Amino acid sequence: MSPTVSAVPHGGDLADAARLAAPPKDGWLDLSTGINPHAYPAAIPPEALTRLPQRSRLDALLAAARTAYAVPPGSGIVAAPGTQAIIQWLPRLVPAERVTVVGPTYAEHAAAWRPHAATAEADELPAEGLAVVVNPNNPTGRVHAPGTLRAAATRDAPDGVALIVDEAFGDLAPEASVAGAPGTLVLKSFGKFFGLPGVRLGFAIGAPDVMGRLSAALGPWAVSGPAIEIGTAALADAAWIATMRRQLADERAALDAVLGAAGLTVIGGTDLFRLVECRDAAGLHRALARHGIWTRRFEHAPRWLRIGFPGAALPRLAAALEAVTHASIATRTQS
């Protein structure tokens, strides 16, 4: 019986990879998520582990985030144990009768709203009702212009929130951010750009009253001491941030060249992942898994495959793609 392709809605779980292919001798190369392969050099003071998170240190984290994300003084900002935790709370904090998720995009947004409101998915921003948009989008990389989002956020809405903008990949396109814009609630993910998803740190930015309700819902000590210290240092490191943006742009060009040489068409993405189109994405996904490389496929788009940045492992990906391509050619020649 041939192995089946996992239909789980997320990347990053190598248990799914192990069910599809034998563990590679060199270890899995996990390209199923859009995580920076060059992690910020984090250091954790011992006291961050041996005492409860201090309010003064949380204030320092929020100040660093305000500066890094260019949050205006009149807006509130809350830190959370990852943006997923905030997504789960949003339907309880921003009640709405109808919600439109602009997609296809990160599936957890629609999943969180369905039990609480009439939830629809659409290609464009709706004319009315609460809207959720991921900007830049995952997995397509589509970027909505800030002016378009600001205009969409001006309509009347419960609690003054007309638009929820998930800027999980916004570190790569800071010029597109609408953090602090009236009528918006903006989400910021720390782990992707800084390459530290296990830290579990995220932020919400919006009207002070809504942010106050979110803070109360999350409760005291919502963010761990290590996450506070790592986040404060990383968000304040403007030199590292600027250098990393340039480096990832260079690596995107190199990755696109490798993908193009393998006959894959890049149809979208960001500087942390590329979305390619091919005739049999499921087949390519399985073939790469046999080479120890785990990618992300989509049930709703059988020709799409998302490939994260391999960093120093780019030659390994290139070699696997070449082997897969040659095997495919040989099969077609024999048939």
Side-chain angles (χ1 to χ4, degrees):
M1 187 174 185
S2 61
T4 59
V5 177
S6 171
V8 295
H10 310 294
D13 192 338
L14 293 179
D16 297 305
R19 283 192 287 268
L20 185 61
K25 63 178 181 180
D26 297 329
W28 284 101
L29 175 58
D30 186 6
L31 304 183
S32 67
T33 62
I35 304 298
N36 189 349
H38 313 289
Y40 184 80
I44 304 174
E47 59 269 22
L49 293 167
T50 58
R51 68 185 183 192
L52 284 170
Q54 301 293 292
R55 180 69 221 189
S56 62
R57 297 308 301 151
L58 178 59
D59 289 343
L61 170 65
L62 294 176
R66 277 190 177 275
T67 299
Y69 298 138
V71 180
S75 295
I77 182 169
V78 172
T83 51
Q84 183 61 46
I86 303 172
I87 291 170
Q88 303 295 132
W89 272 108
L90 288 179
R92 298 169 177 85
L93 299 172
V94 186
E97 294 182 357
R98 183 172 63 257
V99 178
T100 301
V101 178
V102 180
T105 193
Y106 182 52
E108 289 298 332
H109 284 291
W113 282 100
R114 282 193 194 102
H116 306 275
T119 305
E121 298 182 54
D123 295 335
E124 301 294 339
L125 289 163
E128 57 184 3
L130 180 65
V132 179
V133 60
V134 179
N135 200 51
N137 188 41
N138 171 24
T140 64
R142 178 185 182 184
V143 176
H144 290 265
T148 301
L149 296 178
R150 290 175 185 274
T154 59
R155 58 179 180 265
D156 292 334
D159 290 306
V161 179
L163 187 63
I164 295 169
V165 185
D166 185 343
E167 297 183 355
F169 293 94
D171 300 86
L172 302 162
E175 68 284 353
S177 178
V178 292
T184 66
L185 190 157
V186 171
L187 305 179
K188 291 285 190 178
S189 175
F190 173 82
K192 294 177 176 61
F193 176 72
F194 288 98
L196 298 169
V199 169
R200 305 312 304 143
L201 178 61
F203 300 88
I205 301 162
D209 58 333
V210 180
M211 293 300 97
R213 295 202 301 273
L214 173 59
S215 180
L218 291 171
W221 311 302
V223 179
S224 72
I228 289 173
E229 298 303 324
I230 293 170
T232 301
L235 288 165
D237 198 339
W240 188 92
I241 291 170
T243 299
M244 185 52 60
R245 283 176 179 152
R246 292 191 295 269
Q247 179 176 342
L248 290 172
D250 290 341
E251 292 189 11
R252 180 238 306 149
L255 176 56
D256 282 357
V258 167
L259 297 173
L264 301 174
T265 302
V266 177
I267 59 172
T270 70
D271 283 359
L272 283 178
F273 64 84
R274 307 307 281 160
L275 182 66
V276 301
E277 185 175 49
C278 59
R279 183 174 54 84
D280 181 14
L284 178 58
H285 175 75
R286 290 192 297 268
L288 287 173
R290 289 192 289 270
H291 287 267
I293 297 174
W294 192 234
T295 55
R296 174 76 164 90
R297 57 181 297 269
F298 301 90
E299 295 294 329
H300 68 273
R303 295 174 65 90
W304 287 8
L305 197 68
R306 192 185 68 195
I307 301 175
F309 277 32
L314 181 61
R316 178 177 171 182
L317 174 61
L321 286 170
E322 183 178 12
V324 169
T325 300
H326 286 169
S328 176
I329 293 172
T331 301
R332 289 199 302 268
T333 301
Q334 294 169 5
S335 61

